[in-house]
């Protein structure tokens, strides 16, 4: 007797879709076969020709918990994850404090364990303040590191302690330590010296609107940082992940480094693919993110790198803030924090792009599922529909539409989830299933699943 059977589905198996049924027992996939050969099950879901893919993995999540739980908690954030077909979240280390040592990491795991409804894993913080902690942290089951190339932003020292390599000397020190571990180090690649000078000048000129945020962080601030980080990674032997890349020229540099044999990884985010500088002007503080939204011609240029395989994965960069925090930017965009929620829209937006012919559904699976699982060594426990893998699935159809409604968002930050509100998407998610348990059915998340999620560690750990 199986626990669950999904039948009549168009199932993604080993790189392509096929009509088959999938059987689950004790949280694992135990059989993939024609329905006629499927044993009886306690629960059978007739998918009726809908698509079934492995549960998606969000490589870039900020839940802020503990320390800023008024913005988001692991519970509310993971509810939003389940609503968007995310079955595993990779939590980045902006918290109070970031997890730069075992003690802090253990505490964050403890907090997540009693709240998260989906499975989860952690990046560790890598900074030049505590270089001796970097190699120690590698033994604690983190999937990667994260660092920033500037000092802590004003007023946010506690959120960035142990998380920055603020100058070239610190970068050499920190990346040398990271290289010893063999783990990837994600970097926020922007030149803060350029940006700080630009903000000072723009404020003096009274230019403090939405589009001025983009002017303060021009493409060169990203391109120069990417170029430098490629060189420093090559020098130190560190493996680099370039987070949330927003410009085609930076992507071209990373693509060339790959061709030259360097192990580097490229992430972008939905907002750089679906929004542009006009949205930043329209929505102001609610569309503020770092790097900023770009001009339409740059946005269109990113799709070449989605299509040719250069982009390795797409993370949401889910960044919850309070409405009151965003409102500080009404008169001066530079006062407001950067980022907005999006963990629940990453898959629907990419499926909508597939419906528009910009990308295939198979490529969407690579970007949101297979590549993250393989690159961060979670495969085949995660990222595959195969016997022995975790029974994580997303079921969706491409014959119905979804109208984004921020009021139905499960995140605490739904009040600032404005940029996509009202957008019609040519897809509809039907089920999110984690280790055989249905967590979302037709848009309704099982809120009783609190603490169902489990910590996932890379295979090498």
């Amino acid at each position: 007797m199986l626990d669950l059977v999904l039948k009549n589905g168009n199932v993604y198996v080993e790189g392509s879709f096929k009509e088959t049924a999938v059987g689950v027992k004790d949280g694992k996939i135990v059989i993939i076969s024609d329905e006629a050969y499927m044993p009886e099950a306690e629960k059978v879901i007739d998918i009726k020709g809908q698509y079934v893919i492995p549960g998606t993995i969000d490589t870039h999540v900020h839940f802020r918990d503990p320390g800023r739980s008024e913005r988001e908690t692991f519970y509310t954030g993971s509810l939003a994850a389940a609503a968007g077909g995310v079955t595993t979240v990779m939590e980045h280390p902006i918290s109070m404090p970031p997890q730069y040592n075992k003690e802090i990491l253990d505490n964050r795991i403890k907090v997540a364990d009693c709240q998260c409804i989906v499975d989860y894993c952690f990046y560790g913080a890598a900074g030049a303040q505590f270089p001796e902690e970097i190699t120690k942290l590698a033994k604690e089951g983190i999937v990667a590191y994260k660092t920033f190339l500037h000092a802590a932003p004003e007023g946010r020292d506690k959120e960035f302690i142990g998380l920055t390599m603020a100058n070239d000397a610190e970068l050499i020190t920190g990346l040398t330590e990271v290289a010893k571990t063999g783990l990837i180090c994600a970097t926020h690649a922007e030149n803060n010296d350029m940006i700080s000078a630009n903000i000072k000048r723009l404020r003096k000129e009274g230019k403090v609107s939405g589009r001025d945020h983009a002017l303060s962080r021009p493409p060169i601030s990203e391109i120069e940082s990417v170029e430098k980080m490629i060189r420093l990674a090559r020098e130190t032997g560190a493996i680099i992940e370039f987070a949330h890349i927003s410009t085609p020229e930076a992507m071209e540099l990373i693509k060339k480094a790959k061709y030259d044999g360097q192990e580097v990884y490229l992430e972008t985010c939905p907002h750089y693919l679906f929004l542009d500088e006009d949205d930043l002007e329209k929505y102001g503080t609610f569309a503020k993110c770092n790097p900023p939204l770009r001009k339409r011609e740059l946005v269109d240029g990113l799709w070449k790198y989605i299509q040719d395989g250069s982009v390795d994965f797409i993370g949401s960069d889910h960044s919850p803030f309070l409405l009151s925090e965003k409102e500080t930017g009404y008169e001066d965009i530079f006062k407001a924090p950067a980022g907005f929620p999006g963990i629940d829209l990453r898959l629907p937006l990419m499926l909508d792009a597939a419906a528009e012919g910009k990308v295939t559904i198979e490529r969407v699976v690579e970007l949101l599922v297979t590549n993250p699982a393989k690159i961060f060594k979670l495969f085949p426990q995660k990222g595959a529909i195969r016997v022995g893998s975790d029974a994580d699935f997303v079921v969706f159809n491409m014959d119905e539409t979804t109208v984004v409604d921020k009021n139905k968002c499960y995140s605490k930050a739904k009040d600032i989830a404005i940029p996509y509100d009202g957008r019609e998407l040519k897809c509809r998610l039907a089920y999110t299933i984690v280790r055989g348990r249905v967590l979302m059915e037709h848009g309704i998340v099982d809120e009783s699943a609190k603490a169902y999620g489990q910590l996932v560690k890379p295979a090498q750990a």
Side-chain angles (χ1 to χ4, degrees), residues 274-284 287 293 296 419:
F274 297 97
L275 302 174
D276 61 32
E277 208 173 276
D278 289 342
D279 295 293
L280 181 53
E281 184 66 16
K282 179 179 180 180
Y283 299 114
L293 303 180
R296 174 47 56 179

Side-chain angles (χ1 to χ4, degrees), residues 189 219-227 230 242-258 264-267 291 294 298 302 305 310:
I220 186 60
S221 66
E222 176 176 87
I223 295 162
E224 185 274 341
S225 291
V226 167
E227 196 165 30
I230 288 171
F242 289 97
H244 46 52
I245 293 299
S246 64
T247 60
E249 191 170 344
M251 288 191 175
E252 184 65 28
L253 288 169
I254 298 165
K255 178 180 179 178
K256 184 179 185 303
K258 289 171 180 279
V264 292
Y265 296 99
L266 171 52
E267 177 200 74
R294 301 297 186 187
L298 295 182
L302 298 182
Y305 300 93
S310 299

Side-chain angles (χ1 to χ4, degrees), residues 208-210 212-213 280 284-285 288 329-336:
V208 290
S209 69
D212 296 319
H213 174 61
L280 181 53
T285 181
K288 179 182 177 182
Y330 283 170
E331 295 183 359
D332 181 348
I333 190 71
F334 301 114
K335 290 183 179 180

Side-chain angles (χ1 to χ4, degrees), residues 57-122:
I57 300 167
D58 195 335
T59 56
H60 199 148
V61 174
H62 301 285
F63 284 163
R64 317 288 192 197
D65 194 12
R68 297 308 300 262
S69 56
E70 73 277 12
R71 293 174 177 169
E72 193 80 284
T73 65
F74 278 99
Y75 178 56
T76 58
S78 62
L79 290 173
V86 177
T87 58
T88 303
V89 296
M90 294 185 174
E91 168 69 5
H92 281 228
I94 296 183
S95 60
M96 295 178 66
Q99 54 269 16
Y100 65 82
N101 64 26
K102 181 181 186 302
E103 180 182 4
I104 300 169
L105 176 64
D106 286 347
N107 185 59
R108 291 210 79 195
I109 292 170
K110 182 179 179 181
V111 172
D113 191 56
C114 64
Q115 295 189 58
C116 219
I117 79 165
V118 302
D119 288 351
Y120 58 92
C121 45
F122 286 94

Side-chain angles (χ1 to χ4, degrees), residues 73 103 121 136 149 177 195 197 235 248 262 274 335 352 420 445:
T73 65
E103 180 182 4
C121 45
K136 296 177 186 176
L149 312 186
E177 292 303 306
I195 292 165
E235 183 71 20
Q262 192 168 348
F274 297 97
K335 290 183 179 180
D352 184 67
Y420 298 110
V445 179

Side-chain angles (χ1 to χ4, degrees), residues 309-323:
S310 299
V311 175
D312 293 297
F313 42 85
I314 294 176
S316 68
D317 199 1
H318 178 78
S319 299
F321 291 98
L322 301 176
L323 177 60

